[in-house]
């Protein structure tokens, strides 16, 4: 199922399909191992448009809500 | 895409000769954040290091010497960066240092994160540097079942590769030997393959570079920056003779590659970096499938950053840090206070009793008193830094940013603003320095500018004097809490205003790596604490010493030609104890001094908010250091013992001023005119006087206006 990352909930396994953010943010995500094609687990999401916490290949990455909105993922 | 390692002769990898060195060996340490670079740096340099700032930016420059090397060497610890894409001040600084051509560049990586961390190595290779690859945290990688064929990796890369465990000092001897080896035999050409299409484009652009823009090393880097359209490099090359051609060629290749791949050129190049790393790792790394080195961290985080329990837990942790800071810090503060008093007495005894030598007064009252007043807070600062360094090294601090991000975001701040603001309750100076962790310049400035509204430790003595003077016992504690709360609320409101006006701009996207939880080592925590407090101490020795001398002069000169109290005594109008006479003289001194006159001159300005010349004079002192207000008030009221928070001073205040003036005074002192040291630090950290003066002027104006509102509304009501 294809959804925006913000629509995922705790425990979901996701694969990144598309990143519609600017170049700086896209490169930063890639440097953290979260480029297109990467798989990650949603460790935590905060209520009321708070940041998300993703776990991926041994790294935890916190993502602001507004950035997570721009990431399209496939979740099973 | 995965790339195979092929050698292809091109202009990018032409052999080159390095001239013999006539200066110390220069070694730079580069690496991602959280790769353990600092522990490697500490292991190499020990205590032989110093921290400074890069000119004009708020990035720390850590340098040191390493005695272990064959030849004298200077080590530079570059700021932790994921890449050299020049998106943050740290990345720009790291790029500039690497372009300056250090003799050896040690690229430190986390062995459990090689896939990501080696990308920086690729860029370092493009820069034509002479690298040593340090595979740090090798123990954790081994524990997870990973093995690296180090010899094979050295063969493929063509430069030394060393496994280390930095925080335990393992492999440091091998690393030192590798640096020596690299210094003796610099890499002649890098075997870097980024795919035929990209390599050909880069080669093409590099060939077109005019000679001055084609460093013997790093032509690949300049070509890459032109290809991705980096503005600074493009402008630099375009300004050169024949540079336009290279720029145009780069534009052509960009258009072509973007059309062929359908993605942004910078993203495309970064993908190729990852491709090279994948190819390399495939040849040298063996590990079982599905290793999760993070199980423990994920499990801790399920509780620590829990959507409901996370914030209360965080509040508890912060409370514990502050409680420890202030209760434990009380003891050494007492000792230092006593020591300073004794030093003052000792110095005084060099002069005959009753001497009014100006030199004695300058030394004892001006320098020892002024600097001592700041040093007294050192235990608090050390303890607060110790607590924060401990939390940072465990990995918890990064979680704090995650937890508070949403709240901070509402007010135009950032998750990473929280820690500096909390530090501000101790002292604004380390708080402002802590804003360095904020990557976005606007976030950093906003945090810095509103930070003095956090009621700092030096203001506590003022509240202790004023609150009991004007409020009945039952109201005292709530009033204190309200003062702190008012400061916080105002800071948030002001931050929001700043972000909507002067510092308008897009929010920096919040992306932050949370390091795994680790057990901190004593050595690393203590070193962190010491290097940070060093800056504070140095300030006490320079800025504050100078200000103390100025202030002493302003409150001492000119002296009155004669004392009224003496005249009155001579006429027999008064009968006073000797110490009371002294106190009256001191009060007359102050009234006659520059500060006293200034106080009188400024009094009309402050009359609308209820202040008289006495308060204004004391406030001039408070500008040097907030807590001076209490001592100055004591002098103005000519209390024999200096009136440090005594009941008699409170009684006098309650007699002379209405509670309304008391509130107005507290509001003004909370908001207005952060101390001189704060202004000086803001100036240094923001890189310009403009922001420092805006902070001074803005906060003073807001303080005045709010005090005016309190006073005028109060008068209407009462």
């Amino acid at each position: 199922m294809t959804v925006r990352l913000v629509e995922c909930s705790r425990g979901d396994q996701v694969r990144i399909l598309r990143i519609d953010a600017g170049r700086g943010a896209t490169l930063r995500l890639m440097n953290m191992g979260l480029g297109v094609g990467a798989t990650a687990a949603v460790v935590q999401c905060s209520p009321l448009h708070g940041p998300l916490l993703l776990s991926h290949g041994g790294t935890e990455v916190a993502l602001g809500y507004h950035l997570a909105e721009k990431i399209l993922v496939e979740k099973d | 895409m995965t790339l195979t390692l092929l050698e292809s002769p091109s202009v990018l990898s032409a052999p080159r000769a390095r001239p013999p060195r006539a200066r110390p060996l220069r070694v730079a340490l580069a690496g991602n954040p959280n790769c353990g670079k600092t522990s490697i740096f500490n292991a190499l340099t020990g205590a032989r290091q110093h921290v400074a700032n890069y000119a004009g930016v708020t990035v720390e420059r850590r340098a040191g010497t390493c005695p272990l090397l064959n030849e004298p060497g200077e080590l530079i610890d570059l700021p932790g960066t994921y890449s050299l894409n020049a998106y943050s001040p740290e990345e720009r600084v790291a790029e500039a240092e690497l372009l300056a051509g250090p003799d050896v560049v040690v690229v430190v990586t986390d062995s459990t994160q090689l896939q990501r961390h080696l990308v920086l190595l690729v860029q370092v290779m493009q820069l034509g540097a002479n690298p040593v690859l340090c595979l740090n945290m090798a123990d954790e990688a081994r524990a997870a079942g990973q093995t690296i064929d180090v010899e094979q990796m050295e063969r493929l890369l063509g430069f030394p590769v060393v496994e280390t465990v930095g925080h335990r000092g393992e492999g440091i001897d091998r690393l030192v030997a590798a640096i020596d080896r690299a210094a003796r035999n610099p890499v002649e050409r890098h075997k870097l393959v980024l795919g035929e299409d990209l390599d050909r484009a880069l080669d093409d652009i590099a060939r077109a570079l005019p000679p001055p823009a084609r460093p013997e090393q790093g032509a690949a880097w300049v070509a890459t920056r032109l290809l991705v359209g980096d503005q600074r490099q493009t402008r630099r090359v375009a300004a050169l003779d024949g540079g336009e051609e290279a720029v145009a060629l780069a534009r052509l290749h960009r258009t072509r590659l973007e059309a062929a791949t359908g993605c942004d050129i910078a993203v495309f190049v970064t993908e190729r970096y990852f491709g090279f790393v994948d190819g390399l790792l495939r040849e040298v790394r063996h590990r079982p499938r599905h290793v999760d080195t993070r199980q423990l961290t994920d499990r801790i985080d399920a509780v620590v950053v829990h959507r409901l329990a996370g914030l209360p837990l965080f509040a508890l942790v912060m409370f514990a840090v502050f409680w420890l800071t202030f209760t434990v810090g009380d003891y050494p503060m007492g000792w230092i206070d006593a020591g300073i008093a004794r030093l003052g007495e000792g110095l005084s005894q060099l002069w005959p009793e009753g001497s009014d030598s100006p030199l004695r007064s300058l030394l004892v009252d001006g320098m020892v008193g002024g600097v001592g007043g700041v040093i007294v807070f050192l235990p608090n600062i050390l303890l607060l830094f110790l607590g924060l360094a401990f939390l940072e090294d465990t990995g918890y601090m990064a979680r704090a940013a995650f937890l508070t991000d949403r709240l901070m975001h509402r007010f135009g701040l950032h998750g990473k603003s929280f820690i500096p603001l909390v530090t501000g309750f101790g002292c604004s100076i380390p708080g402002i320095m802590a804003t360095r962790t904020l990557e976005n310049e606007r976030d950093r400035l906003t945090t810095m500018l509103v930070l003095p509204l956090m009621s700092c430790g030096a203001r506590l003595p003022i509240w202790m004097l004023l609150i009991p003077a004007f409020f009945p016992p039952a109201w005292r504690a709530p009033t204190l809490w309200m003062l702190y709360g008012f400061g916080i609320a105002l800071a948030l409101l002001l931050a929001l205003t700043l972000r909507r006006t002067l510092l308008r701009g897009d929010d920096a996207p919040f992306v932050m790596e949370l390091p795994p939880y680790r057990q901190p080592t004593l050595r690393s925590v203590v070193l962190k604490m010491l290097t940070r407090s060093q800056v504070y101490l140095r300030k006490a020795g320079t800025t504050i010493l100078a200000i103390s001398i100025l202030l002493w002069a302003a409150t001492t000169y000119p002296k009155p030609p004669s004392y009224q109290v003496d005249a009155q005594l001579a006429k027999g109008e008064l009968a006073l104890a000797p110490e009371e006479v002294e106190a009256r003289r001191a009060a007359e001194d102050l009234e006659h001094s520059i500060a006293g006159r200034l106080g009188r001159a400024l009094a009309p300005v402050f009359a609308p908010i209820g202040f008289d010349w006495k308060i204004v004079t004391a406030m001039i002192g408070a500008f040097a250091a907030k807590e001076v207000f209490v001592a100055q008030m004591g002098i103005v009221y000519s209390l024999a013992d200096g009136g440090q928070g005594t009941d008699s001073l409170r009684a006098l205040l309650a007699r002379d001023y209405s509670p309304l003036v008391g509130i107005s005074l507290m509001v003004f002192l909370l908001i207005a005119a952060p101390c001189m040291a704060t202004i000086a630090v803001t100036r240094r950290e923001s890189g310009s006087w403009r922001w420092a003066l805006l902070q001074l002027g803005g906060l003073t104006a807001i303080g005045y206006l709010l005090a005016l509102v309190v006073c005028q509304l109060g008068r209407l009501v009462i």
Side-chain angles (χ1 to χ4, degrees), chain B residues 138-158:
Chain B
D139 54 340
E140 286 178 31
R142 275 196 292 269
Q146 172 182 284
T147 52
I148 297 281
D149 187 341
V150 173
E151 281 169 30
Q152 171 77 349
M153 205 169 184
E154 283 194 352
R155 255 195 310 277
L156 289 171
L157 289 172

Side-chain angles (χ1 to χ4, degrees), chain A residues 10 23-25 27-28 30-33 44 47-48 50-53 55 57-64 67, chain B residues 82-83 85 87 91 113 116 228 264-266 270 274 294 298 301 305 399 402 406 439 510-514:
Chain A
R10 201 175 149 179
R23 181 191 271 190
L27 290 183
R28 179 54 45 93
M30 286 177 84
N31 282 322
M32 304 227 176
Q44 197 70 253
L48 304 169
L52 269 91
L53 194 55
S55 170
T59 317
E60 257 176 19
V61 179
L63 289 184
L67 184 55
Chain B
Y82 292 99
S83 69
N85 294 333
Y87 278 110
E91 287 173 355
Q113 298 293 330
R116 296 188 297 120
V228 300
D264 178 80
I265 187 74
T270 304
F274 275 97
R294 295 276 301 218
D298 283 356
D301 270 343
V305 295
R399 272 78 188 172
F402 173 78
R406 183 171 47 86
E439 285 148 29
F510 180 64
V511 197
M512 195 174 128
E513 186 184 346
L514 303 186

Side-chain angles (χ1 to χ4, degrees), chain B residues 348-363:
Chain B
S348 294
Q349 278 163 12
L350 298 175
W351 280 268
E353 188 145 357
S355 153
D356 55 355
S357 152
L359 183 62
R360 189 200 74 111
S361 172
L362 169 65
L363 276 176

